[in-house]
Amino acid sequence: MRSLYHHPLCPFSRKVRLVLAEKKLEFDEHVERPWECRPEFTALNPAAEVPVLVEEGGTALADSTAICEYLDETFREPPLLPAEPMARAEVRRLVGWFDAKFHHEVTRGLLGEKVIKRLSQSRAEPDSRAIRAAFSAIHEHLDYIGWLTERHSFLAGSSLSMADIAAAAQLSCIDYIGDVPWDRHHGAKDWYARVKSRPSFRALLADHLPGVPPPRHYADLDF
Protein backbone atom coordinates (compact mmCIF):
# COMPACT_ATOMS: atom_id res chain seq x y z
CA MET A 1 0.00 0.00 0.00
CA ARG A 2 1.15 3.57 -0.63
CA SER A 3 2.32 5.58 2.35
CA LEU A 4 2.06 9.27 3.14
CA TYR A 5 4.52 11.00 5.42
CA HIS A 6 2.80 14.14 6.68
CA HIS A 7 2.18 16.46 9.58
CA PRO A 8 -1.45 17.12 10.58
CA LEU A 9 -1.00 20.91 10.66
CA CYS A 10 1.00 21.18 7.46
CA PRO A 11 -1.30 22.70 4.80
CA PHE A 12 0.65 21.05 1.98
CA SER A 13 0.22 17.67 3.64
CA ARG A 14 -3.48 18.39 3.98
CA LYS A 15 -3.66 19.23 0.29
CA VAL A 16 -2.34 15.77 -0.61
CA ARG A 17 -4.60 14.09 1.95
CA LEU A 18 -7.63 15.78 0.38
CA VAL A 19 -6.66 14.70 -3.12
CA LEU A 20 -6.11 11.11 -1.99
CA ALA A 21 -9.51 11.16 -0.30
CA GLU A 22 -11.28 12.70 -3.31
CA LYS A 23 -9.75 9.94 -5.46
CA LYS A 24 -10.76 7.33 -2.83
CA LEU A 25 -7.20 6.03 -2.68
CA GLU A 26 -6.15 4.11 0.41
CA PHE A 27 -2.85 4.88 2.10
CA ASP A 28 -0.94 4.35 5.30
CA GLU A 29 -0.29 7.50 7.33
CA HIS A 30 3.00 8.30 9.01
CA VAL A 31 3.03 11.48 11.08
CA GLU A 32 6.39 13.17 10.60
CA ARG A 33 7.93 16.03 12.55
CA PRO A 34 10.06 17.42 9.75
CA TRP A 35 12.06 19.70 12.04
CA GLU A 36 13.58 16.57 13.61
CA CYS A 37 15.24 15.66 10.27
CA ARG A 38 15.15 11.93 10.92
CA PRO A 39 17.72 10.16 8.70
CA GLU A 40 15.06 7.69 7.55
CA PHE A 41 12.89 10.59 6.42
CA THR A 42 15.63 12.67 4.80
CA ALA A 43 16.56 9.54 2.84
CA LEU A 44 13.11 9.83 1.25
CA ASN A 45 13.29 13.61 0.79
CA PRO A 46 16.66 15.34 1.34
CA ALA A 47 14.79 18.65 1.72
CA ALA A 48 13.28 17.21 4.96
CA GLU A 49 9.87 18.61 4.05
CA VAL A 50 6.45 17.01 4.20
CA PRO A 51 4.48 15.68 2.44
CA VAL A 52 6.21 12.68 0.91
CA LEU A 53 4.18 10.00 -0.87
CA VAL A 54 5.76 6.57 -1.25
CA GLU A 55 4.07 4.47 -3.91
CA GLU A 56 3.63 0.70 -3.66
CA GLY A 57 6.74 0.07 -5.73
CA GLY A 58 8.84 2.17 -3.35
CA THR A 59 9.14 5.35 -5.42
CA ALA A 60 9.10 8.43 -3.18
CA LEU A 61 7.43 11.61 -4.45
CA ALA A 62 7.92 14.99 -2.81
CA ASP A 63 6.39 18.50 -3.24
CA SER A 64 2.64 18.75 -2.79
CA THR A 65 1.93 20.13 -6.26
CA ALA A 66 4.01 17.43 -7.95
CA ILE A 67 2.26 14.76 -5.88
CA CYS A 68 -1.24 16.13 -6.51
CA GLU A 69 -0.74 16.47 -10.26
CA TYR A 70 0.76 12.96 -10.42
CA LEU A 71 -2.30 11.59 -8.63
CA ASP A 72 -4.69 13.49 -10.89
CA GLU A 73 -2.95 12.28 -14.03
CA THR A 74 -2.74 8.69 -12.81
CA PHE A 75 -6.19 8.37 -11.26
CA ARG A 76 -8.48 10.46 -13.41
CA GLU A 77 -11.74 10.20 -11.45
CA PRO A 78 -12.81 12.65 -10.32
CA PRO A 79 -10.67 15.07 -12.36
CA LEU A 80 -9.32 17.94 -10.27
CA LEU A 81 -7.59 19.73 -13.15
CA PRO A 82 -9.73 20.72 -16.15
CA ALA A 83 -9.02 19.24 -19.59
CA GLU A 84 -9.21 22.61 -21.34
CA PRO A 85 -5.79 24.37 -21.26
CA MET A 86 -7.05 27.85 -20.33
CA ALA A 87 -9.19 26.53 -17.50
CA ARG A 88 -6.32 24.35 -16.31
CA ALA A 89 -4.02 27.38 -16.28
CA GLU A 90 -6.51 29.28 -14.10
CA VAL A 91 -6.70 26.42 -11.59
CA ARG A 92 -2.90 26.30 -11.45
CA ARG A 93 -2.76 30.07 -10.96
CA LEU A 94 -5.06 29.81 -7.96
CA VAL A 95 -3.13 26.86 -6.54
CA GLY A 96 -0.02 29.01 -6.76
CA TRP A 97 -1.85 31.91 -5.10
CA PHE A 98 -2.77 29.88 -2.02
CA ASP A 99 0.38 27.75 -1.86
CA ALA A 100 2.65 30.78 -2.12
CA LYS A 101 0.92 34.11 -1.43
CA PHE A 102 -1.60 32.96 1.19
CA HIS A 103 0.95 30.73 2.89
CA HIS A 104 3.57 33.50 2.99
CA GLU A 105 1.21 36.27 4.09
CA VAL A 106 -1.11 34.37 6.43
CA THR A 107 -0.24 30.78 7.34
CA ARG A 108 3.38 31.36 8.29
CA GLY A 109 2.47 34.38 10.40
CA LEU A 110 -0.36 32.69 12.32
CA LEU A 111 0.24 28.95 12.36
CA GLY A 112 4.00 29.21 12.08
CA GLU A 113 4.49 31.79 14.81
CA LYS A 114 1.77 30.69 17.21
CA VAL A 115 1.95 26.88 16.93
CA ILE A 116 4.79 25.44 14.85
CA LYS A 117 7.48 27.27 16.81
CA ARG A 118 6.09 25.74 19.98
CA LEU A 119 5.69 22.25 18.54
CA SER A 120 9.23 22.29 17.20
CA GLN A 121 10.51 23.57 20.56
CA SER A 122 12.11 26.51 18.83
CA ARG A 123 13.93 28.86 21.15
CA ALA A 124 12.67 31.84 19.17
CA GLU A 125 9.75 33.80 20.60
CA PRO A 126 6.66 34.27 18.43
CA ASP A 127 7.02 37.40 16.30
CA SER A 128 4.10 39.65 17.27
CA ARG A 129 4.61 41.84 14.20
CA ALA A 130 4.31 38.82 11.90
CA ILE A 131 1.15 37.73 13.70
CA ARG A 132 -0.45 41.18 13.37
CA ALA A 133 0.49 41.34 9.67
CA ALA A 134 -1.07 37.94 9.06
CA PHE A 135 -4.30 38.91 10.84
CA SER A 136 -4.46 41.98 8.61
CA ALA A 137 -3.68 40.09 5.39
CA ILE A 138 -6.25 37.32 5.87
CA HIS A 139 -9.13 39.73 5.18
CA GLU A 140 -7.91 40.43 1.64
CA HIS A 141 -7.71 36.72 0.92
CA LEU A 142 -11.16 35.98 2.31
CA ASP A 143 -12.57 38.86 0.28
CA TYR A 144 -10.94 37.37 -2.80
CA ILE A 145 -12.51 33.97 -2.13
CA GLY A 146 -15.89 35.68 -1.74
CA TRP A 147 -15.37 37.53 -5.02
CA LEU A 148 -14.45 34.33 -6.85
CA THR A 149 -17.46 32.44 -5.52
CA GLU A 150 -19.85 35.19 -6.54
CA ARG A 151 -19.09 34.08 -10.11
CA HIS A 152 -18.91 30.29 -9.67
CA SER A 153 -19.96 27.65 -7.19
CA PHE A 154 -16.29 26.91 -6.57
CA LEU A 155 -13.13 28.97 -6.92
CA ALA A 156 -12.36 28.18 -10.55
CA GLY A 157 -15.67 26.99 -11.93
CA SER A 158 -18.80 24.96 -11.31
CA SER A 159 -17.04 21.94 -9.78
CA LEU A 160 -14.43 21.29 -7.14
CA SER A 161 -10.88 21.61 -8.43
CA MET A 162 -7.32 21.61 -7.18
CA ALA A 163 -7.77 25.33 -6.51
CA ASP A 164 -10.42 24.67 -3.86
CA ILE A 165 -8.30 21.95 -2.31
CA ALA A 166 -5.22 24.20 -2.08
CA ALA A 167 -7.24 27.04 -0.53
CA ALA A 168 -9.13 24.79 1.89
CA ALA A 169 -5.92 23.09 3.00
CA GLN A 170 -4.43 26.44 4.03
CA LEU A 171 -7.61 27.77 5.63
CA SER A 172 -8.32 24.54 7.51
CA CYS A 173 -5.02 24.92 9.35
CA ILE A 174 -5.86 28.50 10.33
CA ASP A 175 -9.36 27.39 11.32
CA TYR A 176 -7.86 24.65 13.50
CA ILE A 177 -6.31 27.35 15.68
CA GLY A 178 -9.48 29.47 15.56
CA ASP A 179 -8.01 32.43 13.71
CA VAL A 180 -10.34 32.76 10.69
CA PRO A 181 -12.74 35.73 11.06
CA TRP A 182 -15.61 33.92 9.34
CA ASP A 183 -18.32 36.25 10.65
CA ARG A 184 -16.88 39.12 8.60
CA HIS A 185 -16.64 37.14 5.35
CA HIS A 186 -19.89 35.33 4.58
CA GLY A 187 -19.04 34.46 0.98
CA ALA A 188 -15.84 32.70 1.99
CA LYS A 189 -17.64 31.05 4.89
CA ASP A 190 -20.36 29.63 2.62
CA TRP A 191 -17.76 28.28 0.21
CA TYR A 192 -15.72 26.70 3.02
CA ALA A 193 -18.84 25.11 4.52
CA ARG A 194 -19.53 23.41 1.18
CA VAL A 195 -15.97 22.16 0.91
CA LYS A 196 -15.59 20.92 4.47
CA SER A 197 -18.90 19.04 4.27
CA ARG A 198 -17.41 16.75 1.61
CA PRO A 199 -16.49 13.21 2.71
CA SER A 200 -12.86 13.90 1.78
CA PHE A 201 -12.68 16.40 4.67
CA ARG A 202 -13.67 13.97 7.41
CA ALA A 203 -10.15 12.86 8.28
CA LEU A 204 -8.98 16.48 8.55
CA LEU A 205 -11.88 17.37 10.83
CA ALA A 206 -10.93 14.43 13.07
CA ASP A 207 -7.36 15.72 13.55
CA HIS A 208 -6.54 16.45 17.17
CA LEU A 209 -3.01 17.31 18.23
CA PRO A 210 -2.09 16.76 21.89
CA GLY A 211 -1.78 20.11 23.58
CA VAL A 212 -3.27 21.96 20.60
CA PRO A 213 -7.04 21.30 20.62
CA PRO A 214 -9.17 22.85 17.87
CA PRO A 215 -12.05 25.22 18.66
CA ARG A 216 -15.51 23.72 19.03
CA HIS A 217 -16.70 24.91 15.61
CA TYR A 218 -13.78 23.31 13.76
CA ALA A 219 -15.50 19.96 13.11
CA ASP A 220 -19.02 21.43 12.96
CA LEU A 221 -20.29 21.22 9.39
CA ASP A 222 -22.79 23.98 10.14
CA PHE A 223 -20.19 26.16 11.95
mmCIF file with all atom_site columns, all heavy atoms in Angstrom, residues 117-134:
data_model
loop_
_atom_site.group_PDB
_atom_site.id
_atom_site.type_symbol
_atom_site.label_atom_id
_atom_site.label_alt_id
_atom_site.label_comp_id
_atom_site.label_asym_id
_atom_site.label_entity_id
_atom_site.label_seq_id
_atom_site.pdbx_PDB_ins_code
_atom_site.Cartn_x
_atom_site.Cartn_y
_atom_site.Cartn_z
_atom_site.occupancy
_atom_site.B_iso_or_equiv
_atom_site.pdbx_formal_charge
_atom_site.auth_seq_id
_atom_site.auth_comp_id
_atom_site.auth_asym_id
_atom_site.auth_atom_id
_atom_site.pdbx_PDB_model_num
ATOM 1   N N   . LYS A 1 117 ? 6.306  26.974 15.985 1.00 0.00 ? 117 LYS A N   1
ATOM 2   C CA  . LYS A 1 117 ? 7.482  27.272 16.808 1.00 0.00 ? 117 LYS A CA  1
ATOM 3   C C   . LYS A 1 117 ? 7.426  26.527 18.135 1.00 0.00 ? 117 LYS A C   1
ATOM 4   O O   . LYS A 1 117 ? 8.442  26.034 18.631 1.00 0.00 ? 117 LYS A O   1
ATOM 5   C CB  . LYS A 1 117 ? 7.592  28.778 17.050 1.00 0.00 ? 117 LYS A CB  1
ATOM 6   C CG  . LYS A 1 117 ? 8.250  29.540 15.922 1.00 0.00 ? 117 LYS A CG  1
ATOM 7   C CD  . LYS A 1 117 ? 8.466  31.002 16.296 1.00 0.00 ? 117 LYS A CD  1
ATOM 8   C CE  . LYS A 1 117 ? 9.224  31.739 15.207 1.00 0.00 ? 117 LYS A CE  1
ATOM 9   N NZ  . LYS A 1 117 ? 9.451  33.168 15.543 1.00 0.00 ? 117 LYS A NZ  1
ATOM 10  N N   . ARG A 1 118 ? 6.225  26.438 18.700 1.00 0.00 ? 118 ARG A N   1
ATOM 11  C CA  . ARG A 1 118 ? 6.090  25.738 19.983 1.00 0.00 ? 118 ARG A CA  1
ATOM 12  C C   . ARG A 1 118 ? 6.221  24.231 19.807 1.00 0.00 ? 118 ARG A C   1
ATOM 13  O O   . ARG A 1 118 ? 6.900  23.564 20.597 1.00 0.00 ? 118 ARG A O   1
ATOM 14  C CB  . ARG A 1 118 ? 4.728  26.082 20.615 1.00 0.00 ? 118 ARG A CB  1
ATOM 15  C CG  . ARG A 1 118 ? 4.428  25.332 21.903 1.00 0.00 ? 118 ARG A CG  1
ATOM 16  C CD  . ARG A 1 118 ? 3.416  26.093 22.745 1.00 0.00 ? 118 ARG A CD  1
ATOM 17  N NE  . ARG A 1 118 ? 2.191  26.365 22.029 1.00 0.00 ? 118 ARG A NE  1
ATOM 18  C CZ  . ARG A 1 118 ? 1.133  25.565 22.044 1.00 0.00 ? 118 ARG A CZ  1
ATOM 19  N NH1 . ARG A 1 118 ? 1.156  24.438 22.721 1.00 0.00 ? 118 ARG A NH1 1
ATOM 20  N NH2 . ARG A 1 118 ? 0.022  25.887 21.398 1.00 0.00 ? 118 ARG A NH2 1
ATOM 21  N N   . LEU A 1 119 ? 5.595  23.682 18.771 1.00 0.00 ? 119 LEU A N   1
ATOM 22  C CA  . LEU A 1 119 ? 5.689  22.245 18.538 1.00 0.00 ? 119 LEU A CA  1
ATOM 23  C C   . LEU A 1 119 ? 7.123  21.808 18.275 1.00 0.00 ? 119 LEU A C   1
ATOM 24  O O   . LEU A 1 119 ? 7.543  20.728 18.699 1.00 0.00 ? 119 LEU A O   1
ATOM 25  C CB  . LEU A 1 119 ? 4.793  21.839 17.364 1.00 0.00 ? 119 LEU A CB  1
ATOM 26  C CG  . LEU A 1 119 ? 3.281  21.929 17.572 1.00 0.00 ? 119 LEU A CG  1
ATOM 27  C CD1 . LEU A 1 119 ? 2.561  21.569 16.287 1.00 0.00 ? 119 LEU A CD1 1
ATOM 28  C CD2 . LEU A 1 119 ? 2.838  21.005 18.709 1.00 0.00 ? 119 LEU A CD2 1
ATOM 29  N N   . SER A 1 120 ? 7.852  22.640 17.546 1.00 0.00 ? 120 SER A N   1
ATOM 30  C CA  . SER A 1 120 ? 9.229  22.290 17.199 1.00 0.00 ? 120 SER A CA  1
ATOM 31  C C   . SER A 1 120 ? 10.217 22.644 18.302 1.00 0.00 ? 120 SER A C   1
ATOM 32  O O   . SER A 1 120 ? 11.418 22.437 18.150 1.00 0.00 ? 120 SER A O   1
ATOM 33  C CB  . SER A 1 120 ? 9.640  22.990 15.907 1.00 0.00 ? 120 SER A CB  1
ATOM 34  O OG  . SER A 1 120 ? 9.615  24.399 16.058 1.00 0.00 ? 120 SER A OG  1
ATOM 35  N N   . GLN A 1 121 ? 9.676  23.179 19.414 1.00 0.00 ? 121 GLN A N   1
ATOM 36  C CA  . GLN A 1 121 ? 10.506 23.575 20.560 1.00 0.00 ? 121 GLN A CA  1
ATOM 37  C C   . GLN A 1 121 ? 11.592 24.569 20.144 1.00 0.00 ? 121 GLN A C   1
ATOM 38  O O   . GLN A 1 121 ? 12.732 24.521 20.623 1.00 0.00 ? 121 GLN A O   1
ATOM 39  C CB  . GLN A 1 121 ? 11.120 22.338 21.230 1.00 0.00 ? 121 GLN A CB  1
ATOM 40  C CG  . GLN A 1 121 ? 10.068 21.404 21.792 1.00 0.00 ? 121 GLN A CG  1
ATOM 41  C CD  . GLN A 1 121 ? 10.657 20.193 22.489 1.00 0.00 ? 121 GLN A CD  1
ATOM 42  O OE1 . GLN A 1 121 ? 11.779 19.787 22.217 1.00 0.00 ? 121 GLN A OE1 1
ATOM 43  N NE2 . GLN A 1 121 ? 9.893  19.613 23.403 1.00 0.00 ? 121 GLN A NE2 1
ATOM 44  N N   . SER A 1 122 ? 11.198 25.457 19.244 1.00 0.00 ? 122 SER A N   1
ATOM 45  C CA  . SER A 1 122 ? 12.111 26.511 18.831 1.00 0.00 ? 122 SER A CA  1
ATOM 46  C C   . SER A 1 122 ? 12.375 27.451 20.001 1.00 0.00 ? 122 SER A C   1
ATOM 47  O O   . SER A 1 122 ? 11.491 27.752 20.797 1.00 0.00 ? 122 SER A O   1
ATOM 48  C CB  . SER A 1 122 ? 11.502 27.305 17.666 1.00 0.00 ? 122 SER A CB  1
ATOM 49  O OG  . SER A 1 122 ? 12.228 28.479 17.404 1.00 0.00 ? 122 SER A OG  1
ATOM 50  N N   . ARG A 1 123 ? 13.597 27.918 20.082 1.00 0.00 ? 123 ARG A N   1
ATOM 51  C CA  . ARG A 1 123 ? 13.930 28.856 21.146 1.00 0.00 ? 123 ARG A CA  1
ATOM 52  C C   . ARG A 1 123 ? 13.481 30.279 20.821 1.00 0.00 ? 123 ARG A C   1
ATOM 53  O O   . ARG A 1 123 ? 13.493 31.148 21.692 1.00 0.00 ? 123 ARG A O   1
ATOM 54  C CB  . ARG A 1 123 ? 15.444 28.835 21.392 1.00 0.00 ? 123 ARG A CB  1
ATOM 55  C CG  . ARG A 1 123 ? 15.950 27.507 21.950 1.00 0.00 ? 123 ARG A CG  1
ATOM 56  C CD  . ARG A 1 123 ? 17.442 27.564 22.229 1.00 0.00 ? 123 ARG A CD  1
ATOM 57  N NE  . ARG A 1 123 ? 17.925 26.300 22.770 1.00 0.00 ? 123 ARG A NE  1
ATOM 58  C CZ  . ARG A 1 123 ? 19.191 26.063 23.098 1.00 0.00 ? 123 ARG A CZ  1
ATOM 59  N NH1 . ARG A 1 123 ? 20.105 27.024 22.939 1.00 0.00 ? 123 ARG A NH1 1
ATOM 60  N NH2 . ARG A 1 123 ? 19.556 24.896 23.573 1.00 0.00 ? 123 ARG A NH2 1
ATOM 61  N N   . ALA A 1 124 ? 13.094 30.501 19.573 1.00 0.00 ? 124 ALA A N   1
ATOM 62  C CA  . ALA A 1 124 ? 12.671 31.841 19.173 1.00 0.00 ? 124 ALA A CA  1
ATOM 63  C C   . ALA A 1 124 ? 11.272 32.138 19.698 1.00 0.00 ? 124 ALA A C   1
ATOM 64  O O   . ALA A 1 124 ? 10.391 31.279 19.694 1.00 0.00 ? 124 ALA A O   1
ATOM 65  C CB  . ALA A 1 124 ? 12.701 31.966 17.653 1.00 0.00 ? 124 ALA A CB  1
ATOM 66  N N   . GLU A 1 125 ? 11.065 33.361 20.150 1.00 0.00 ? 125 GLU A N   1
ATOM 67  C CA  . GLU A 1 125 ? 9.753  33.797 20.599 1.00 0.00 ? 125 GLU A CA  1
ATOM 68  C C   . GLU A 1 125 ? 8.861  34.098 19.393 1.00 0.00 ? 125 GLU A C   1
ATOM 69  O O   . GLU A 1 125 ? 9.357  34.497 18.332 1.00 0.00 ? 125 GLU A O   1
ATOM 70  C CB  . GLU A 1 125 ? 9.887  35.060 21.455 1.00 0.00 ? 125 GLU A CB  1
ATOM 71  C CG  . GLU A 1 125 ? 10.557 34.838 22.798 1.00 0.00 ? 125 GLU A CG  1
ATOM 72  C CD  . GLU A 1 125 ? 9.711  33.987 23.715 1.00 0.00 ? 125 GLU A CD  1
ATOM 73  O OE1 . GLU A 1 125 ? 8.469  34.124 23.685 1.00 0.00 ? 125 GLU A OE1 1
ATOM 74  O OE2 . GLU A 1 125 ? 10.297 33.165 24.447 1.00 0.00 ? 125 GLU A OE2 1
ATOM 75  N N   . PRO A 1 126 ? 7.560  33.893 19.518 1.00 0.00 ? 126 PRO A N   1
ATOM 76  C CA  . PRO A 1 126 ? 6.658  34.275 18.430 1.00 0.00 ? 126 PRO A CA  1
ATOM 77  C C   . PRO A 1 126 ? 6.841  35.750 18.075 1.00 0.00 ? 126 PRO A C   1
ATOM 78  O O   . PRO A 1 126 ? 6.977  36.597 18.961 1.00 0.00 ? 126 PRO A O   1
ATOM 79  C CB  . PRO A 1 126 ? 5.261  34.000 19.007 1.00 0.00 ? 126 PRO A CB  1
ATOM 80  C CG  . PRO A 1 126 ? 5.494  32.962 20.064 1.00 0.00 ? 126 PRO A CG  1
ATOM 81  C CD  . PRO A 1 126 ? 6.845  33.273 20.653 1.00 0.00 ? 126 PRO A CD  1
ATOM 82  N N   . ASP A 1 127 ? 6.830  36.039 16.793 1.00 0.00 ? 127 ASP A N   1
ATOM 83  C CA  . ASP A 1 127 ? 7.021  37.403 16.299 1.00 0.00 ? 127 ASP A CA  1
ATOM 84  C C   . ASP A 1 127 ? 5.658  38.092 16.257 1.00 0.00 ? 127 ASP A C   1
ATOM 85  O O   . ASP A 1 127 ? 4.839  37.805 15.378 1.00 0.00 ? 127 ASP A O   1
ATOM 86  C CB  . ASP A 1 127 ? 7.658  37.351 14.910 1.00 0.00 ? 127 ASP A CB  1
ATOM 87  C CG  . ASP A 1 127 ? 8.003  38.734 14.372 1.00 0.00 ? 127 ASP A CG  1
ATOM 88  O OD1 . ASP A 1 127 ? 7.418  39.724 14.838 1.00 0.00 ? 127 ASP A OD1 1
ATOM 89  O OD2 . ASP A 1 127 ? 8.851  38.812 13.451 1.00 0.00 ? 127 ASP A OD2 1
ATOM 90  N N   . SER A 1 128 ? 5.408  38.998 17.190 1.00 0.00 ? 128 SER A N   1
ATOM 91  C CA  . SER A 1 128 ? 4.096  39.647 17.272 1.00 0.00 ? 128 SER A CA  1
ATOM 92  C C   . SER A 1 128 ? 3.803  40.486 16.032 1.00 0.00 ? 128 SER A C   1
ATOM 93  O O   . SER A 1 128 ? 2.647  40.617 15.616 1.00 0.00 ? 128 SER A O   1
ATOM 94  C CB  . SER A 1 128 ? 4.004  40.513 18.534 1.00 0.00 ? 128 SER A CB  1
ATOM 95  O OG  . SER A 1 128 ? 5.003  41.516 18.529 1.00 0.00 ? 128 SER A OG  1
ATOM 96  N N   . ARG A 1 129 ? 4.823  41.052 15.417 1.00 0.00 ? 129 ARG A N   1
ATOM 97  C CA  . ARG A 1 129 ? 4.606  41.844 14.202 1.00 0.00 ? 129 ARG A CA  1
ATOM 98  C C   . ARG A 1 129 ? 4.141  40.952 13.062 1.00 0.00 ? 129 ARG A C   1
ATOM 99  O O   . ARG A 1 129 ? 3.258  41.336 12.281 1.00 0.00 ? 129 ARG A O   1
ATOM 100 C CB  . ARG A 1 129 ? 5.885  42.572 13.816 1.00 0.00 ? 129 ARG A CB  1
ATOM 101 C CG  . ARG A 1 129 ? 6.275  43.703 14.768 1.00 0.00 ? 129 ARG A CG  1
ATOM 102 C CD  . ARG A 1 129 ? 7.596  44.314 14.382 1.00 0.00 ? 129 ARG A CD  1
ATOM 103 N NE  . ARG A 1 129 ? 8.683  43.329 14.419 1.00 0.00 ? 129 ARG A NE  1
ATOM 104 C CZ  . ARG A 1 129 ? 9.938  43.572 14.085 1.00 0.00 ? 129 ARG A CZ  1
ATOM 105 N NH1 . ARG A 1 129 ? 10.284 44.777 13.651 1.00 0.00 ? 129 ARG A NH1 1
ATOM 106 N NH2 . ARG A 1 129 ? 10.850 42.631 14.174 1.00 0.00 ? 129 ARG A NH2 1
ATOM 107 N N   . ALA A 1 130 ? 4.735  39.753 12.947 1.00 0.00 ? 130 ALA A N   1
ATOM 108 C CA  . ALA A 1 130 ? 4.312  38.821 11.902 1.00 0.00 ? 130 ALA A CA  1
ATOM 109 C C   . ALA A 1 130 ? 2.880  38.359 12.128 1.00 0.00 ? 130 ALA A C   1
ATOM 110 O O   . ALA A 1 130 ? 2.103  38.202 11.177 1.00 0.00 ? 130 ALA A O   1
ATOM 111 C CB  . ALA A 1 130 ? 5.265  37.623 11.854 1.00 0.00 ? 130 ALA A CB  1
ATOM 112 N N   . ILE A 1 131 ? 2.512  38.153 13.377 1.00 0.00 ? 131 ILE A N   1
ATOM 113 C CA  . ILE A 1 131 ? 1.146  37.727 13.696 1.00 0.00 ? 131 ILE A CA  1
ATOM 114 C C   . ILE A 1 131 ? 0.154  38.821 13.342 1.00 0.00 ? 131 ILE A C   1
ATOM 115 O O   . ILE A 1 131 ? -0.890 38.558 12.713 1.00 0.00 ? 131 ILE A O   1
ATOM 116 C CB  . ILE A 1 131 ? 1.046  37.345 15.189 1.00 0.00 ? 131 ILE A CB  1
ATOM 117 C CG1 . ILE A 1 131 ? 1.872  36.084 15.468 1.00 0.00 ? 131 ILE A CG1 1
ATOM 118 C CG2 . ILE A 1 131 ? -0.420 37.132 15.592 1.00 0.00 ? 131 ILE A CG2 1
ATOM 119 C CD1 . ILE A 1 131 ? 2.017  35.752 16.943 1.00 0.00 ? 131 ILE A CD1 1
ATOM 120 N N   . ARG A 1 132 ? 0.452  40.066 13.694 1.00 0.00 ? 132 ARG A N   1
ATOM 121 C CA  . ARG A 1 132 ? -0.452 41.180 13.366 1.00 0.00 ? 132 ARG A CA  1
ATOM 122 C C   . ARG A 1 132 ? -0.572 41.348 11.856 1.00 0.00 ? 132 ARG A C   1
ATOM 123 O O   . ARG A 1 132 ? -1.677 41.600 11.328 1.00 0.00 ? 132 ARG A O   1
ATOM 124 C CB  . ARG A 1 132 ? 0.049  42.477 14.006 1.00 0.00 ? 132 ARG A CB  1
ATOM 125 C CG  . ARG A 1 132 ? -0.146 42.528 15.522 1.00 0.00 ? 132 ARG A CG  1
ATOM 126 C CD  . ARG A 1 132 ? 0.030  43.954 16.028 1.00 0.00 ? 132 ARG A CD  1
ATOM 127 N NE  . ARG A 1 132 ? 1.367  44.470 15.760 1.00 0.00 ? 132 ARG A NE  1
ATOM 128 C CZ  . ARG A 1 132 ? 2.403  44.338 16.575 1.00 0.00 ? 132 ARG A CZ  1
ATOM 129 N NH1 . ARG A 1 132 ? 2.248  43.681 17.724 1.00 0.00 ? 132 ARG A NH1 1
ATOM 130 N NH2 . ARG A 1 132 ? 3.576  44.854 16.272 1.00 0.00 ? 132 ARG A NH2 1
ATOM 131 N N   . ALA A 1 133 ? 0.531  41.209 11.132 1.00 0.00 ? 133 ALA A N   1
ATOM 132 C CA  . ALA A 1 133 ? 0.495  41.340 9.674  1.00 0.00 ? 133 ALA A CA  1
ATOM 133 C C   . ALA A 1 133 ? -0.366 40.254 9.048  1.00 0.00 ? 133 ALA A C   1
ATOM 134 O O   . ALA A 1 133 ? -1.122 40.508 8.096  1.00 0.00 ? 133 ALA A O   1
ATOM 135 C CB  . ALA A 1 133 ? 1.913  41.297 9.112  1.00 0.00 ? 133 ALA A CB  1
ATOM 136 N N   . ALA A 1 134 ? -0.274 39.049 9.588  1.00 0.00 ? 134 ALA A N   1
ATOM 137 C CA  . ALA A 1 134 ? -1.072 37.943 9.055  1.00 0.00 ? 134 ALA A CA  1
ATOM 138 C C   . ALA A 1 134 ? -2.557 38.150 9.325  1.00 0.00 ? 134 ALA A C   1
ATOM 139 O O   . ALA A 1 134 ? -3.405 37.889 8.458  1.00 0.00 ? 134 ALA A O   1
ATOM 140 C CB  . ALA A 1 134 ? -0.597 36.629 9.655  1.00 0.00 ? 134 ALA A CB  1
#
